[in-house]
């Protein structure tokens, strides 16, 4: 068995602690070379001669715009002595809520069910702990998410939903219906900020910027919806006033990392 080492391909630094040669020509006709060694491959690393120096700078762009849509999360919760009684109560109320929202101008495509639940209500033992063998009734829930694109309707819609039977409002999320154009603005802002920082660094070092070597989008390219806390849980039969709400501004962000060559 021949071992060949090709020069200038790989450099190996070896600390060989034990070498044992076992020869068994009678049975196998082979020579086995066993090396118990600590071997460490050390690749040659460095900057090739003539490579242009570079500078890498990141930039984050941000564009702020007023929210133009909102998602409200409303629900119904009812209790009953039987599963049918609890479920029927929430079903009737949910149907009334959907009809009220549609009457107010919300499209069916903008309303969707986000959760339906039916769980037993357990009693307690003499120590006050839950007794899972004692079912005292059932609780049924039905949750709906509604996208609203006319924010002037928002407060009235919440009042209409409660009037129709909703007894849970789990919050309002403000957002943007179409944010792609704003994302592009944020990307341009990110590149401009990165370029400005690179020019400042290069000038401070007595250099000037050359051409762009690479550009990588680091994240962003979207917005974070602004969420409110759950607003209310109500058992009132009538609502006299619209719910006052203050739509917020939305930040659209983008970030980029750019590598420039430094001009000679």
């Amino acid at each position: 068995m021949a071992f060949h080492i090709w020069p200038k391909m790989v450099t190996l630094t070896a600390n060989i602690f034990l070498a044992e040669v076992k020869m068994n020509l009678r049975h196998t006709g082979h020579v086995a070379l066993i090396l118990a060694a600590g071997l460490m491959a050390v690749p040659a690393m460095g900057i090739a001669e003539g490579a242009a120096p570079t500078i890498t700078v990141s930039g984050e762009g941000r564009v702020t715009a007023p929210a133009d849509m909102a998602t409200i999360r409303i629900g119904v919760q009812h209790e009953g002595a039987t599963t049918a009684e609890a479920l029927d109560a929430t079903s009737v109320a949910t149907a009334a809520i959907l009809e009220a929202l549609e009457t107010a101008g919300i499209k069916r495509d903008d309303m969707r069910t986000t959760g339906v639940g039916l769980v037993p209500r357990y009693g307690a033992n003499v120590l006050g702990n839950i007794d899972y063998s004692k079912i005292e009734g059932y609780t049924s829930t039905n949750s709906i998410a509604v996208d609203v694109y006319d924010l002037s309707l928002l407060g009235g819609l919440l009042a209409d939903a409660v009037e129709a039977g909703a007894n849970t409002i789990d919050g309002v999320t403000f957002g943007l219906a179409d944010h792609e154009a704003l994302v592009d603005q944020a990307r341009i802002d990110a590149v401009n900020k990165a370029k400005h920082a690179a020019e400042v660094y290069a000038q401070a070092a007595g250099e000037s910027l050359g051409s762009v070597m690479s550009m990588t989008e680091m994240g962003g390219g979207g917005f974070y919806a602004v969420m409110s806390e759950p607003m209310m849980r109500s058992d009132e039969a009538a609502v006299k006033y619209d719910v006052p709400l203050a739509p917020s501004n939305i930040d659209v962000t983008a970030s980029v990392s750019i590598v420039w060559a430094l001009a000679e």
Side-chain angles (χ1 to χ4, degrees), residues 7-264:
K8 298 185 180 179
M9 294 292 290
V10 178
T11 301
L12 294 179
T13 301
N15 296 315
I16 302 177
F17 300 99
L18 175 65
E20 178 181 357
V21 178
K22 291 184 176 180
M23 302 180 64
N24 194 341
L25 296 174
R26 183 178 58 184
H27 297 290
T28 64
H30 292 81
V31 177
L33 176 62
I34 302 174
L35 301 178
L39 299 177
M40 179 177 65
V42 184
M45 301 180 65
I47 299 176
E49 291 185 8
T54 61
I55 180 173
T56 303
V57 179
S58 298
E60 180 180 89
R62 184 180 303 271
V63 178
T64 300
D68 60 9
M69 62 85 63
T71 299
I72 60 175
R73 298 177 300 280
I74 56 181
V76 182
Q77 177 175 308
H78 283 290
E79 296 179 351
T82 65
T83 55
E85 181 181 338
L87 190 59
D88 285 346
T90 57
S91 296
V92 170
T94 301
I97 293 168
L98 293 175
E99 183 178 355
L101 294 174
E102 192 169 13
T103 300
I106 302 299
K107 299 178 182 179
R108 280 282 180 169
D109 290 343
D110 295 330
M111 296 182 280
R112 58 194 176 277
T113 299
T114 57
V116 175
L118 180 65
V119 295
R121 290 185 293 106
Y122 297 105
N125 57 28
V126 294
L127 298 177
N129 299 322
I130 296 176
D131 186 348
Y132 291 102
S133 66
K134 185 187 297 184
I135 297 178
E136 296 184 344
Y138 296 87
T139 300
S140 175
T141 57
N142 195 319
S143 302
I144 306 168
V146 183
D147 295 329
V148 182
Y149 295 96
D150 185 351
L151 296 183
S152 66
L153 302 176
L154 193 55
L157 288 174
L158 292 173
D160 291 344
V162 172
E163 185 81 21
N167 55 17
T168 299
I169 299 179
D170 292 323
V172 178
T173 302
F174 293 102
L176 297 169
D178 184 7
H179 65 282
E180 289 302 324
L182 296 174
V183 170
D184 287 344
Q185 292 180 33
R187 286 170 173 152
I188 293 172
D189 186 40
V191 171
N192 289 336
K193 287 180 177 177
K195 184 177 181 180
H196 173 72
E199 289 173 340
V200 171
Y201 286 128
Q203 184 177 6
E207 303 286 347
S208 59
L209 290 184
S211 59
V212 173
M213 306 296 290
S214 68
M215 183 182 301
T216 305
E217 188 167 46
M218 303 300 293
F223 69 94
Y224 295 98
V226 179
M227 301 179 64
S228 69
E229 296 295 328
M231 297 172 58
M232 62 184 294
R233 180 180 294 272
S234 173
D235 294 321
E236 296 294 331
V239 177
K240 296 182 180 180
Y241 306 103
D242 291 350
V243 179
L245 294 169
S248 59
N249 289 330
I250 306 296
D251 287 337
V252 181
T253 62
S255 59
V256 66
S257 178
I258 307 177
V259 180
W260 278 274
L262 292 178
E264 296 181 357

